[in-house]
Short mmCIF file of all heavy atoms in Angstrom, two decimals:
data_model
loop_
_atom_site.label_atom_id
_atom_site.label_comp_id
_atom_site.label_asym_id
_atom_site.label_seq_id
_atom_site.Cartn_x
_atom_site.Cartn_y
_atom_site.Cartn_z
N ASP A 33 18.13 -13.19 42.50
CA ASP A 33 17.14 -13.55 43.47
C ASP A 33 17.00 -15.05 43.49
O ASP A 33 16.61 -15.71 42.52
CB ASP A 33 15.77 -12.93 43.09
CG ASP A 33 14.70 -13.16 44.16
OD1 ASP A 33 14.97 -13.89 45.13
OD2 ASP A 33 13.66 -12.53 44.02
N ALA A 34 17.18 -15.67 44.66
CA ALA A 34 17.13 -17.13 44.82
C ALA A 34 15.68 -17.68 44.75
O ALA A 34 15.46 -18.85 44.63
CB ALA A 34 17.79 -17.57 46.12
N ASN A 35 14.69 -16.80 44.90
CA ASN A 35 13.31 -17.20 44.91
C ASN A 35 12.62 -17.12 43.57
O ASN A 35 11.41 -17.36 43.46
CB ASN A 35 12.49 -16.33 45.91
CG ASN A 35 12.95 -16.57 47.35
OD1 ASN A 35 13.29 -17.62 47.75
ND2 ASN A 35 13.05 -15.44 48.12
N VAL A 36 13.33 -16.87 42.50
CA VAL A 36 12.82 -16.76 41.21
C VAL A 36 12.58 -18.17 40.63
O VAL A 36 13.53 -19.00 40.70
CB VAL A 36 13.71 -15.90 40.25
CG1 VAL A 36 13.17 -16.00 38.86
CG2 VAL A 36 13.75 -14.53 40.78
N THR A 37 11.43 -18.45 40.12
CA THR A 37 11.15 -19.76 39.47
C THR A 37 11.64 -19.67 38.01
O THR A 37 11.19 -18.78 37.26
CB THR A 37 9.65 -20.04 39.54
OG1 THR A 37 9.25 -20.03 40.89
CG2 THR A 37 9.38 -21.42 38.89
N PRO A 38 12.46 -20.55 37.56
CA PRO A 38 12.89 -20.51 36.17
C PRO A 38 11.81 -20.86 35.24
O PRO A 38 10.88 -21.66 35.52
CB PRO A 38 14.01 -21.59 36.12
CG PRO A 38 13.72 -22.52 37.24
CD PRO A 38 13.02 -21.69 38.33
N GLN A 39 11.84 -20.20 34.06
CA GLN A 39 10.86 -20.51 32.99
C GLN A 39 11.07 -21.93 32.47
O GLN A 39 12.16 -22.35 32.20
CB GLN A 39 11.12 -19.51 31.88
CG GLN A 39 10.27 -19.71 30.71
CD GLN A 39 10.56 -18.67 29.58
OE1 GLN A 39 10.69 -17.50 29.92
NE2 GLN A 39 10.73 -19.11 28.42
N THR A 40 9.95 -22.65 32.40
CA THR A 40 10.08 -24.06 31.95
C THR A 40 9.62 -24.25 30.54
O THR A 40 9.94 -25.29 30.01
CB THR A 40 9.18 -24.94 32.88
OG1 THR A 40 7.86 -24.48 32.88
CG2 THR A 40 9.71 -24.90 34.34
N THR A 41 8.91 -23.33 29.95
CA THR A 41 8.55 -23.55 28.54
C THR A 41 8.83 -22.25 27.74
O THR A 41 8.85 -21.18 28.30
CB THR A 41 7.02 -23.83 28.34
OG1 THR A 41 6.29 -22.72 28.84
CG2 THR A 41 6.60 -25.07 29.10
N ASN A 42 9.14 -22.38 26.46
CA ASN A 42 9.32 -21.27 25.60
C ASN A 42 7.92 -20.94 24.99
O ASN A 42 7.05 -21.76 24.96
CB ASN A 42 10.30 -21.60 24.50
CG ASN A 42 11.70 -21.95 25.09
OD1 ASN A 42 12.15 -21.22 25.99
ND2 ASN A 42 12.27 -23.04 24.65
N GLY A 43 7.88 -19.77 24.40
CA GLY A 43 6.68 -19.40 23.73
C GLY A 43 6.62 -20.20 22.39
O GLY A 43 7.64 -20.64 21.93
N SER A 44 5.38 -20.36 21.88
CA SER A 44 5.28 -21.01 20.59
C SER A 44 4.06 -20.53 19.84
O SER A 44 3.21 -19.89 20.40
CB SER A 44 5.12 -22.56 20.81
OG SER A 44 3.91 -22.84 21.51
N LEU A 45 4.13 -20.76 18.52
CA LEU A 45 3.06 -20.34 17.59
C LEU A 45 2.92 -21.38 16.51
O LEU A 45 3.87 -21.85 15.99
CB LEU A 45 3.37 -18.96 17.01
CG LEU A 45 2.42 -18.54 15.91
CD1 LEU A 45 1.04 -18.21 16.41
CD2 LEU A 45 2.98 -17.33 15.15
N SER A 46 1.64 -21.77 16.32
CA SER A 46 1.39 -22.72 15.22
C SER A 46 0.19 -22.23 14.44
O SER A 46 -0.82 -21.79 14.96
CB SER A 46 1.05 -24.14 15.80
OG SER A 46 0.80 -25.05 14.82
N VAL A 47 0.34 -22.22 13.09
CA VAL A 47 -0.73 -21.77 12.20
C VAL A 47 -1.01 -22.83 11.15
O VAL A 47 -0.02 -23.30 10.51
CB VAL A 47 -0.42 -20.39 11.56
CG1 VAL A 47 -1.50 -19.95 10.65
CG2 VAL A 47 -0.08 -19.37 12.61
N SER A 48 -2.28 -23.14 10.90
CA SER A 48 -2.60 -24.08 9.86
C SER A 48 -3.79 -23.50 9.05
O SER A 48 -4.70 -22.95 9.67
CB SER A 48 -2.99 -25.46 10.41
OG SER A 48 -3.38 -26.34 9.45
N ALA A 49 -3.75 -23.67 7.76
CA ALA A 49 -4.91 -23.19 6.95
C ALA A 49 -5.10 -24.17 5.75
O ALA A 49 -4.12 -24.62 5.11
CB ALA A 49 -4.66 -21.79 6.37
N GLY A 50 -6.33 -24.46 5.47
CA GLY A 50 -6.62 -25.24 4.27
C GLY A 50 -6.04 -26.68 4.34
O GLY A 50 -5.71 -27.25 3.30
N GLY A 51 -5.85 -27.24 5.52
CA GLY A 51 -5.26 -28.53 5.60
C GLY A 51 -3.71 -28.62 5.63
O GLY A 51 -3.21 -29.71 5.64
N SER A 52 -3.12 -27.42 5.57
CA SER A 52 -1.61 -27.42 5.53
C SER A 52 -1.11 -26.53 6.67
O SER A 52 -1.55 -25.51 6.94
CB SER A 52 -1.18 -26.80 4.19
OG SER A 52 -1.59 -27.55 3.12
N PRO A 53 0.05 -27.04 7.30
CA PRO A 53 0.70 -26.19 8.29
C PRO A 53 1.37 -25.02 7.61
O PRO A 53 2.07 -25.18 6.59
CB PRO A 53 1.70 -27.13 8.95
CG PRO A 53 1.91 -28.22 7.91
CD PRO A 53 0.62 -28.33 7.11
N LEU A 54 1.22 -23.83 8.12
CA LEU A 54 1.76 -22.66 7.53
C LEU A 54 2.95 -22.13 8.38
O LEU A 54 3.89 -21.60 7.82
CB LEU A 54 0.76 -21.50 7.40
CG LEU A 54 -0.40 -21.73 6.48
CD1 LEU A 54 -1.30 -20.56 6.43
CD2 LEU A 54 0.08 -22.11 5.11
N ALA A 55 2.86 -22.25 9.73
CA ALA A 55 3.97 -21.84 10.53
C ALA A 55 3.99 -22.70 11.82
O ALA A 55 2.95 -23.12 12.35
CB ALA A 55 3.75 -20.35 11.01
N GLN A 56 5.25 -22.93 12.25
CA GLN A 56 5.44 -23.71 13.50
C GLN A 56 6.66 -23.11 14.18
O GLN A 56 7.79 -23.41 13.78
CB GLN A 56 5.57 -25.23 13.25
CG GLN A 56 5.68 -26.04 14.52
CD GLN A 56 4.39 -26.06 15.32
OE1 GLN A 56 3.30 -26.29 14.74
NE2 GLN A 56 4.48 -25.81 16.62
N LEU A 57 6.48 -22.28 15.19
CA LEU A 57 7.58 -21.68 15.94
C LEU A 57 7.52 -22.32 17.37
O LEU A 57 6.54 -22.08 18.08
CB LEU A 57 7.44 -20.18 15.96
CG LEU A 57 7.38 -19.48 14.65
CD1 LEU A 57 7.10 -18.00 14.83
CD2 LEU A 57 8.70 -19.62 13.91
N GLY A 58 8.51 -23.08 17.73
CA GLY A 58 8.42 -23.78 18.99
C GLY A 58 7.60 -25.04 18.82
O GLY A 58 7.11 -25.36 17.78
N ASN A 59 7.53 -25.90 19.87
CA ASN A 59 6.83 -27.13 19.72
C ASN A 59 5.69 -27.34 20.78
O ASN A 59 5.09 -28.38 20.83
CB ASN A 59 7.78 -28.30 19.71
CG ASN A 59 8.60 -28.35 21.00
OD1 ASN A 59 8.37 -27.63 21.96
ND2 ASN A 59 9.58 -29.24 21.04
N GLU A 60 5.42 -26.36 21.68
CA GLU A 60 4.41 -26.57 22.67
C GLU A 60 3.01 -26.44 22.13
O GLU A 60 2.09 -27.10 22.68
CB GLU A 60 4.60 -25.55 23.83
CG GLU A 60 5.79 -25.81 24.73
CD GLU A 60 7.05 -25.11 24.25
OE1 GLU A 60 6.95 -24.36 23.29
OE2 GLU A 60 8.11 -25.42 24.82
#
Side-chain angles (χ1 to χ4, degrees):
D33 185 353
N35 296 321
V36 173
T37 303
Q39 176 180 314
T40 57
T41 62
N42 296 316
S44 65
L45 170 68
S46 181
V47 179
S48 178
S52 299
L54 297 181
Q56 185 69 47
L57 303 172
N59 59 7
E60 286 90 7

